Amino acid sequence: MSHLLFIEANDSTHQKKGISSELNDAFLNAYRESHPDDAVTVLNLFEERLPFFDLKLASAAGRLFKGEELTGDDATHAQRLQEYLNGFLDADKVVFSFPMWNLTVPAPLHNYMDYLAQAGQTFRYTAEGSIGLVEDKQVLLIHSRGGDYSTKEKASSEHAVRYMLDLLAFFGIEDVSTVILEGHQQYPERASELINQALQECRQFGREF
């Protein structure tokens, strides 16, 4: 039995379910049907409301990892950070579902990734540079963006998927796949075709991931 961690960074708490939710459901329904014995944990980052990762929290987390005793808010927040990090490290497979916001990822996802980027746990420093410590983990990125960023003119402005790929590689994760829905708002005449293709890809990954 494997454990799938599904991380959702779509603000479905303040709007009706949109295309991102359809993509999520397509994957999860297919996954649960094809992997009935697997454990599935769904984490909605907009609902979690993680405390902002600042230098105070970074210091407390580092001290907790070294075995130092913490008290008060430092202990509470550092232990919560470690719980989220452990959840990520313990999962066999991880899916990140997120839209493009202002050319990059939504703030709650960026904050969560800062929780994961802990020296000694997901990477370590060496004289030759940093080395990733996370191995044998499958990751899938499900991403939606209304514009077309596959063109030569727009590719350099895409800081969402590229950010996630770079950071996952920094952690040492090499097995990363993507489902990218793009252009469905830029090309309204092709919207149904593009959405249906992405939904089909999500179902396929759900069966095979």
Side-chain angles (χ1 to χ4, degrees):
M1 183 181 77
S2 296
H3 179 205
L4 171 74
L5 175 61
F6 191 97
I7 300 163
E8 180 180 358
N10 304 288
D11 192 8
S12 57
T13 58
H14 295 104
Q15 65 177 7
K16 294 181 179 178
K17 288 191 174 183
I19 184 57
S20 293
S21 296
E22 292 184 40
L23 297 175
N24 296 346
D25 290 343
F27 173 87
L28 285 170
N29 290 339
Y31 187 90
R32 288 180 170 124
E33 182 177 347
S34 300
H35 306 77
D37 296 326
D38 283 9
V40 178
T41 299
V42 178
L43 189 67
N44 186 317
L45 296 179
F46 276 89
E47 294 179 357
E48 294 297 312
R49 299 291 179 183
L50 303 185
F52 183 68
F53 186 83
D54 55 14
L55 291 179
K56 187 173 185 291
L57 178 53
S59 175
R63 289 158 52 206
L64 179 69
F65 178 62
K66 292 176 182 177
E68 297 181 24
E69 185 175 351
L70 302 178
T71 59
D73 288 343
D74 281 353
T76 300
H77 293 158
Q79 288 167 359
R80 189 178 184 193
L81 178 149
Q82 191 64 53
E83 289 173 2
Y84 283 104
L85 177 53
N86 288 344
F88 172 79
L89 293 175
D90 291 344
D92 302 295
K93 314 172 193 178
V94 180
V95 178
F96 293 91
S97 174
F98 57 100
M100 174 183 278
W101 277 23
N102 302 320
L103 303 182
T104 187
V105 300
L109 177 55
H110 197 299
N111 194 44
Y112 175 79
M113 298 306 289
D114 286 340
Y115 273 50
L116 302 185
Q118 301 302 313
Q121 301 196 69
T122 50
F123 71 96
R124 65 183 176 90
Y125 296 110
T126 74
E128 291 75 32
S130 63
I131 296 177
L133 300 177
V134 184
E135 300 177 350
D136 301 325
K137 194 179 299 294
Q138 287 181 271
V139 174
L140 172 66
L141 306 180
I142 299 177
H143 176 61
S144 60
R145 52 199 186 213
D148 182 1
Y149 287 81
S150 65
T151 65
K152 182 178 179 181
E153 295 76 17
K154 297 292 285 294
S156 62
S157 297
E158 195 284 303
H159 305 291
V161 171
R162 185 166 55 175
Y163 162 75
M164 293 296 294
L165 291 174
D166 285 349
L167 197 51
L168 291 169
F170 180 70
F171 295 161
I173 299 173
E174 299 178 352
D175 187 356
V176 183
S177 303
T178 61
V179 173
I180 299 176
L181 168 62
E182 66 178 342
H184 55 291
Q185 293 176 333
Q186 183 172 340
Y187 312 122
E189 71 281 0
R190 296 183 56 208
S192 294
E193 171 196 349
L194 295 170
I195 291 171
N196 287 333
Q197 180 179 341
L199 288 170
Q200 184 176 354
E201 290 182 37
C202 284
R203 295 187 189 100
Q204 187 70 21
F205 270 106
R207 290 188 288 269
E208 300 178 356
F209 190 63

